[in-house]
Amino acid sequence: MKPNTKHKLLIVDDEPKILRSLTFLLEEHFEVFTSDNSKDALAIFKKEAILLMLLDLRLNDESGLHLMNQCLAHQPKACIIMMTAYSTLENSINAIKAGAYYFIPKPINNDQLLLLLNTATEKLDMFRKIDHLEGHLKKELIGSSLCIQKITD
């Protein structure tokens, strides 16, 4: 990621007040997209190549876990943080088992959320660097070796 480029963050919650307050908190640090339903959220996730998401466990039109599964099927490296006012150990375990990066209860502690998102962006940056280095390594080892040059000449 370029030094002054913000990570894209999609916030999905069916409560407008939560969308507004989280956007206000996070827009200085991220390029923020919001959605109050799963259909629009999935479209934004795909169109904007989102890798970081805050997702409510309970949405009006469906379960946040279902949306998370759809998003992870499209982009397995995405970091999806589940949030809910209905925090139980069972919900947390189910979300993590389904692929959530983390599970955070509402009301959300702003400092904890910023730290968590910072850790998630570091993970995404690490994945990006690994992908870049693997591509470079394959090119160097496979595409430029003497044996390959003899074959392609």
Side-chain angles (χ1 to χ4, degrees), residues 2-14:
K2 295 176 185 170
N4 292 323
T5 304
K6 293 180 179 180
H7 282 271
K8 294 179 180 182
L9 170 67
L10 174 58
I11 306 170
V12 185
D13 199 302
D14 53 3

Side-chain angles (χ1 to χ4, degrees), residues 55-69:
L55 175 59
D56 193 10
L57 180 64
R58 293 187 184 179
L59 299 171
N60 283 335
D61 56 346
E62 71 178 301
S63 162
L65 288 176
H66 181 71
L67 175 59
M68 180 182 70
N69 289 334

Side-chain angles (χ1 to χ4, degrees), residues 57-116:
L57 180 64
R58 293 187 184 179
L59 299 171
N60 283 335
D61 56 346
E62 71 178 301
S63 162
L65 288 176
H66 181 71
L67 175 59
M68 180 182 70
N69 289 334
Q70 292 176 302
C71 291
L72 290 174
H74 178 73
Q75 178 47 265
K77 291 183 181 176
C79 288
I80 300 177
I81 299 166
M82 298 297 295
M83 54 186 181
T84 187
Y86 308 98
S87 183
T88 67
L89 183 58
E90 183 181 359
N91 285 342
S92 300
I93 291 170
N94 289 339
I96 299 299
K97 279 184 176 179
Y101 176 72
Y102 202 84
F103 189 90
I104 190 167
K106 293 179 185 176
I108 294 173
N109 175 301
N110 293 347
D111 292 333
Q112 181 185 9
L113 179 61
L114 287 169
L115 180 62
L116 181 58

Side-chain angles (χ1 to χ4, degrees), residues 140-153:
E140 288 298 314
L141 292 178
I142 296 171
S144 302
S145 69
L146 184 58
C147 293
I148 295 295
Q149 288 176 6
K150 287 181 182 177
I151 293 170
T152 58
D153 286 342

Side-chain angles (χ1 to χ4, degrees), residues 42 44-53 67-80 98-99 123-124 127-128 131:
L42 186 58
I44 293 168
F45 184 87
K46 290 178 178 181
K47 179 182 179 212
E48 296 297 332
I50 300 290
L51 291 173
L52 188 57
M53 178 189 286
L67 175 59
M68 180 182 70
N69 289 334
Q70 292 176 302
C71 291
L72 290 174
H74 178 73
Q75 178 47 265
K77 291 183 181 176
C79 288
I80 300 177
K123 177 183 175 181
L124 292 171
F127 280 150
R128 188 174 287 116
D131 289 345

